[in-house]
Amino acid sequence: MKHKSITNGNRSKNTAYLIAAIICCGFLILGILFMRHAWTLGRQETIKDMHRSTEQSRDAVKSHIKDNFHRLKAVTVLAEDNDFLKKDKLLNSLTQILEKNTYVTIGFVYKNGNAIWIDSEKNIHESRHYETKSLMRSISGINVLTESGWDPDNNIFVNYYALPVQSKGKTIGVLFAADPEKELKNTIKKSLYSRKGYANIIKKNGDFAVTPDNPVTSGTGNIFSAQANIKESSKTEMLENMSNGKSGYSERKVNGEKRLTSYIPLGINDWFICYGMPEKLVNTNLRFVTNGAITIIAAAMAIFIIFILLIWHTGNTGRKELEKLAFEDALTGQKNLQKFLIDAKNILKKNIKTRYSIWSCDIKNFKYINDLFGLEAGDTLLKHWAGYLLKNTGDDEVFARVNADNFVYLRSYKNKKDLEKRFYRDVSLFEKYSEIEWKIELCCGVCNLNPDENSISVSNMIDRANVAKKSVKDTTGCGLGFYSKKIREQKIKENEIESGMEKALENNEFNIYLQPKINIQNHGTIGGMEALVRWLPPGKGIIPPSEFIKLFEKNGFIVKLDRYVFEKACETYKKNILDEGHQPIILSVNVSRLGILHLDFVKTYVSIKNKYKIPNGQIELEFTESLAFENHKQFKSTIKELQKNGFLCSLDDFGSGHSSLNILKALRVDVIKLDRLFFCHGEDSERGLELVKNIIAMAKALKIKTVAEGIELKNQVDLLRKMGCDSIQGYVFAKPMAIDDFKFFLKQWQGETANS
Ligand code: C2E
Ligand code: CA
Ligand code: CA
């Protein structure tokens, strides 16, 4: 029950953790989605913003270029003058423009391709100008602006502005000026004001029209150079847009840094203003807010997780302690029965193909070990045993201490020999144990699990192993018993007997048989009779006491039965012996050891005796010898009490167990009944008879009467007579009989003895 509630508790806790985890994940996902959305909005805003910046740059650059063309255009008006082409005049006009402007070179290209120009040092050059070819495009009537190129005269990068010069409706040449590239660059720079990022002028194929003023891309000829990592699809899109004169937006990586780029056509040449900005510089506010939010969410999550972990940890420790209490055997630190039942069940479920057996084991007379050597010594022995089992229990096996010296194991095996081998290995553990001077005997019962019986529960198997263990309990030395069909049938029979006993008593199914005791020293008169119980269930044969007495002793029913038998015997005795005027015969009745443990034992028996008015000295109670040995003191006082109330007391089965002749000295019994085993034919029969002779002699000396039981042969009667034995109870004279038969026997016997 306990483990069930622990498991239930765990289950609900786990559900709570699961819900918490789901909520946690939910918040996280919501947070991420929200952040993504904020980012997208921010990005759109950024793109718009960048586009605006690009337009501003474009406008600044465009007006710078246009201004330059306007200035030069103003000069071309002079061409209407007839003297314009005169060298002095031309040079004079050109020098004036050079002085007023930023140009480093200014010149004129004649229609024939010859050029005249002045450099910044005002040196005059004449011949073909190196840029003549590109400048001559202007002859067709268009303004030409060249991309940046190296000017060898001035040793700087310059851009050439060229425009046609007309006189009287006819083109007479081309005016050109080299403006330092830095002028254009400064314009771009100024257009950016305080804005971050870089603006460049590129051609529609990505080549830089003006050398890039960007520490990252400087020195490279194309915006899509190897350093700038742009997705192929974005590159194609950008090139396509540019070749169609469309503006756009792209992303790329430059030296591992993400960069956003906006581009729009300049409207001059095939040039584009391209404005780029590292992503990290974009939306720093938004970045700050989102980073802050992420940090707060992460911190909240971390605290939440730590909190959950803490609760889980405390729960876990608590659970572990509870589990320990519920599942651990306090003495050995190993599993207890509860845990065994769970583990064994799981192992059996997991290994359906393996053969398993359940063992129930204990140490014979462990009680004595505790009594003789102390509880601590007993505990040490049990711990030693548990330690041994821990080492000798396989992975898919389990063992536990049930209580006291009772252990159960689940062991796998291949065949019966395996099991026996393991048992003897276990036995050797106790043989080697030297902490106490006591021969420790192991007693085990084994129940092998039948593959076709897999519905049987582990606790049922333990019950069976216990039954098997009981079957070897009384054998000498270590014992190993297997649960078998025979044991099972026996158990079923016992169950039947147990379930029917109370009713049988109510229905008077228990009857009394009487067996006479013949007084062999006194002309063979009937000195006594023993009342022996028989169970006569209606419609069935007689059930002998050998089939139920032991069982009733175990379940306690014997006390009730003994009283019943005693009362019945007294009633019979009164009716058939006393009331019919027979010579008094001593009636003996058996009393089981449990009976005298009852405090009202003497009182009850005395009241029954009085009820049937049986005179003193007519009833003998038979107690087994082992009872006298075990409960010596109580037995002694009970006997005394009984004798005071007119009962005779006898020691039954004398010589069958731990007899000690000393007992006779201490216990003042009236009779001893020599056990049947003395008179069985066997190797030691002669020694046995010698013993009987001495016991009889000693009993005589102590004024104790002797009865020999189980005598079947005439010569034994003669021998016992000679030995001085008082009476004989045995088949040699008569078997136990029903009342009417006994009365008949009595009549006949008395007639015979009277005649002899
Ligand atoms: P017990 O008290 O030792 O009774 C004597 C047993 O020996 C009787 O067996 C009897 O029939 C048997 N017996 C007598 N002479 C011979 C013989 O020559 N040869 C052989 N082989 N056996 C002989 P029974 O009646 O079967 O009783 C068995 C035991 O059951 C008794 O042994 C006694 O311990 C117990 N018992 C019988 N009736 C009662 C009772 O009412 N109460 C109690 N507590 N025990 C009883
Ligand atoms: Ca008896
Ligand atoms: Ca006996």
Side-chain angles (χ1 to χ4, degrees):
M1 258 357 242
K2 216 182 244 173
H3 78 260
K4 224 177 197 174
S5 60
I6 290 172
T7 340
N8 282 345
N10 284 344
R11 210 171 291 151
S12 56
K13 242 181 232 163
N14 286 343
T15 322
Y17 290 140
L18 191 73
I19 291 170
I22 291 171
I23 292 174
C24 213
C25 287
F27 274 117
L28 195 69
I29 291 168
L30 264 176
I32 291 171
L33 286 178
F34 178 76
M35 226 78 83
R36 268 182 70 120
H37 186 64
W39 262 108
T40 318
L41 289 179
R43 181 167 286 257
Q44 281 167 2
E45 212 38 56
T46 307
I47 293 169
K48 269 189 207 159
D49 198 42
M50 281 182 72
H51 214 72
R52 275 194 294 272
S53 301
T54 321
E55 277 170 351
Q56 274 174 24
S57 292
R58 180 201 59 195
D59 294 346
V61 169
K62 219 171 169 177
S63 75
H64 174 82
I65 295 168
K66 273 189 178 155
D67 283 353
N68 273 329
F69 277 115
H70 277 140
R71 267 193 288 278
L72 293 169
K73 184 86 187 163
V75 181
T76 62
V77 179
L78 300 172
E80 292 299 333
D81 189 343
N82 286 338
D83 299 337
F84 179 75
L85 285 180
K86 275 189 184 158
K87 197 174 168 186
D88 287 352
K89 201 127 192 224
L90 184 62
L91 285 173
N92 193 29
S93 307
L94 294 178
T95 310
Q96 274 181 33
I97 303 168
L98 192 69
E99 280 170 351
K100 280 185 201 148
N101 292 291
T102 52
Y103 309 132
V104 287
T105 297
I106 187 145
F108 185 78
V109 188
Y110 297 96
K111 245 180 145 177
N112 63 2
N114 281 340
I116 182 166
W117 70 92
I118 311 166
D119 65 20
S120 57
E121 303 293 320
K122 298 205 179 126
N123 299 318
I124 298 161
H125 304 263
E126 242 174 310
S127 75
R128 282 189 79 84
H129 189 272
Y130 74 101
E131 273 284 358
T132 308
K133 205 178 165 194
S134 54
L135 300 176
M136 278 301 275
R137 280 189 291 137
S138 209
I139 268 290
S140 62
I142 54 161
N143 292 346
V144 169
L145 170 65
T146 66
E147 61 193 83
S148 295
W150 187 250
D151 177 5
D153 297 333
N154 299 294
N155 284 331
I156 49 168
F157 275 104
V158 294
N159 300 100
Y160 285 96
Y161 290 80
L163 61 172
V165 180
Q166 288 182 327
S167 175
K168 299 184 179 77
K170 277 187 182 163
T171 306
I172 54 168
V174 170
L175 176 72
F176 71 93
D179 198 30
E181 182 200 52
K182 73 170 197 291
E183 294 300 322
L184 205 49
K185 276 182 163 175
N186 282 340
T187 313
I188 301 174
K189 238 183 228 164
K190 272 185 221 152
S191 75
L192 294 175
Y193 305 112
S194 61
R195 242 172 279 121
K196 306 146 201 159
Y198 312 98
N200 285 302
I201 301 173
I202 57 167
K203 298 200 274 182
K204 66 178 181 188
N205 64 357
D207 281 348
F208 287 102
V210 174
T211 57
D213 186 20
N214 175 342
V216 180
T217 45
S218 76
T220 60
N222 190 290
I223 201 162
F224 305 118
S225 72
Q227 278 163 289
N229 187 355
I230 182 165
K231 261 198 230 158
E232 206 49 46
S233 57
S234 301
K235 183 180 168 182
T236 320
E237 187 193 316
M238 188 167 165
L239 281 172
E240 206 176 290
N241 277 344
M242 290 200 296
S243 67
N244 292 328
K246 278 198 216 156
S247 55
Y249 167 83
S250 79
E251 283 177 14
R252 60 202 176 113
K253 263 189 180 165
V254 178
N255 288 351
E257 185 187 71
K258 201 167 183 189
R259 186 169 293 183
L260 315 176
T261 305
S262 157
Y263 52 92
I264 49 174
L266 182 62
I268 295 169
N269 295 343
D270 59 351
W271 294 1
F272 279 78
I273 291 285
C274 185
Y275 179 67
M277 184 152 66
E279 196 190 35
K280 66 177 180 204
L281 300 177
V282 176
N283 284 332
T284 40
N285 285 345
L286 181 69
R287 195 177 285 271
F288 174 76
V289 170
T290 45
N291 280 351
I294 287 175
T295 316
I296 291 168
I297 290 179
M301 293 270 296
I303 291 169
F304 184 71
I305 287 168
I306 290 171
F307 186 65
I308 292 274
L309 283 178
L310 223 92
I311 294 175
W312 181 76
H313 177 74
T314 354
N316 229 13
T317 346
R319 199 190 71 221
K320 269 186 196 151
E321 263 162 30
L322 260 181
E323 260 178 20
K324 202 172 156 183
L325 274 179
F327 295 144
E328 196 181 286
D329 169 48
L331 175 70
T332 60
Q334 299 305 318
K335 290 167 184 174
N336 64 7
L337 181 63
Q338 286 283 352
K339 184 77 174 124
F340 178 85
L341 293 175
I342 298 168
D343 287 2
K345 193 175 164 191
N346 290 338
I347 292 173
L348 291 173
K349 216 191 256 172
K350 202 174 97 192
N351 304 286
I352 27 172
K353 286 199 176 133
T354 315
R355 297 176 98 179
Y356 275 104
S357 58
I358 291 266
W359 295 53
S360 166
C361 302
D362 63 35
I363 292 169
K364 277 191 184 168
N365 299 317
F366 184 70
K367 189 167 83 76
Y368 294 136
I369 296 177
N370 274 338
D371 288 350
L372 291 171
F373 303 98
L375 285 177
E376 214 171 293
D379 287 353
T380 312
L381 171 62
L382 295 177
K383 281 186 213 163
H384 182 71
W385 187 4
Y388 161 85
L389 288 172
L390 194 64
K391 273 192 227 140
N392 290 281
T393 300
D395 280 347
D396 277 326
E397 295 183 338
V398 62
F399 77 94
R401 176 172 168 255
V402 179
N403 54 38
D405 59 326
N406 291 306
F407 280 78
V408 283
Y409 333 140
L410 174 77
R411 287 174 162 181
S412 60
Y413 74 102
K414 285 199 183 78
N415 48 45
K416 201 172 168 185
K417 258 204 174 132
D418 255 12
L419 297 168
E420 280 163 355
K421 254 195 216 162
R422 266 185 109 163
F423 173 71
Y424 289 111
R425 215 192 312 152
D426 297 345
V427 165
S428 71
L429 165 87
F430 297 103
E431 280 170 356
K432 284 183 216 141
Y433 193 74
S434 55
E435 297 286 310
I436 47 170
E437 286 195 8
W438 181 271
K439 193 169 183 294
I440 303 166
E441 288 168 345
L442 186 64
C443 179
C444 293
V446 176
C447 166
N448 290 335
L449 180 69
N450 263 333
D452 50 310
E453 247 188 337
N454 45 15
S455 59
I456 174 172
S457 72
V458 176
S459 49
N460 267 340
M461 283 170 73
I462 295 177
D463 286 346
R464 289 182 175 188
N466 280 335
V467 171
K469 183 170 74 178
K470 269 175 209 148
S471 73
V472 290
K473 203 81 246 199
D474 298 330
T475 55
T476 46
C478 293
L480 174 67
F482 290 93
Y483 185 79
S484 61
K485 206 176 159 197
K486 200 173 135 203
I487 291 183
R488 191 175 155 178
E489 278 164 3
Q490 173 73 24
K491 188 78 194 157
I492 292 172
K493 205 165 163 189
E494 280 183 14
N495 285 347
E496 263 173 33
I497 290 177
E498 279 193 312
S499 61
M501 63 192 185
E502 295 276 2
K503 258 256 128 30
L505 195 68
E506 270 173 37
N507 295 344
N508 296 317
E509 286 174 22
F510 291 104
N511 280 260
I512 283 169
Y513 272 43
L514 293 165
Q515 187 180 27
K517 293 174 185 173
I518 308 299
N519 193 335
I520 51 170
Q521 302 295 346
N522 190 10
H523 315 292
T525 48
I526 298 174
M529 53 184 181
E530 183 177 1
L532 294 156
V533 71
R534 298 289 182 266
W535 187 352
L536 297 166
K540 290 184 192 161
I542 299 176
I543 305 176
S546 57
E547 285 185 22
F548 55 83
I549 293 291
K550 268 213 170 120
L551 181 64
F552 290 173
E553 277 173 346
K554 259 191 283 173
N555 64 24
F557 185 67
I558 194 72
V559 179
K560 263 193 191 173
L561 181 68
D562 274 357
R563 287 181 184 182
Y564 175 85
V565 169
F566 180 64
E567 174 140 23
K568 270 268 152 160
C570 288
E571 191 191 351
T572 310
Y573 187 77
K574 165 96 172 111
K575 200 170 131 198
N576 296 291
I577 305 291
L578 294 183
D579 293 353
E580 288 198 10
H582 281 286
Q583 275 184 0
I585 305 169
I586 293 171
L587 165 73
S588 61
V589 184
N590 292 288
V591 180
S592 190
R593 54 187 293 278
L594 261 189
I596 74 155
L597 295 179
H598 278 253
L599 293 177
D600 64 347
F601 167 68
V602 176
K603 207 175 118 199
T604 315
Y605 275 60
V606 168
S607 76
I608 294 171
K609 172 177 165 272
N610 292 341
K611 183 177 164 189
Y612 294 100
K613 298 193 177 67
I614 300 174
N616 286 347
Q618 295 292 300
I619 295 178
E620 178 186 310
L621 294 179
E622 296 189 6
F623 302 95
T624 51
E625 174 208 47
S626 57
L627 176 72
F629 186 72
E630 279 170 27
N631 293 18
H632 188 268
K633 265 192 185 156
Q634 191 186 358
F635 186 57
K636 199 175 161 184
S637 67
T638 309
I639 287 180
K640 230 177 170 178
E641 191 88 344
L642 287 168
Q643 286 169 335
K644 244 190 352 205
N645 284 285
F647 284 96
L648 297 169
C649 295
S650 77
L651 267 191
D652 204 354
D653 305 337
F654 191 83
S656 65
H658 317 269
S659 309
S660 151
L661 291 176
N662 258 347
I663 278 188
L664 296 183
K665 198 180 78 188
L667 297 173
R668 295 177 181 275
V669 288
D670 305 285
V671 183
I672 54 172
K673 292 183 80 180
L674 298 165
D675 196 71
R676 213 157 67 78
L677 285 174
F678 281 121
F679 313 106
C680 285
H681 299 281
E683 275 178 28
D684 298 324
S685 60
E686 267 181 36
R687 284 167 64 91
L689 286 177
E690 192 59 29
L691 208 62
V692 168
K693 199 166 108 185
N694 285 297
I695 294 170
I696 292 172
M698 200 168 92
K700 215 172 211 47
L702 293 169
K703 298 202 170 51
I704 296 173
K705 297 260 180 229
T706 46
V707 179
E709 253 190 313
I711 304 302
E712 294 181 354
L713 304 168
K714 186 84 182 61
N715 63 341
Q716 288 174 329
V717 180
D718 297 334
L719 199 67
L720 283 161
R721 187 183 293 120
K722 274 187 206 141
M723 286 179 185
C725 178
D726 296 299
S727 305
I728 277 178
Q729 179 184 350
Y731 292 176
V732 68
F733 296 121
K735 287 192 173 181
M737 293 163 275
I739 305 298
D740 291 340
D741 295 337
F742 185 80
K743 275 167 81 179
F744 182 72
F745 172 81
L746 196 63
K747 218 182 217 169
Q748 261 200 339
W749 187 267
Q750 279 168 347
E752 271 173 33
T753 38
N755 293 337
S756 66

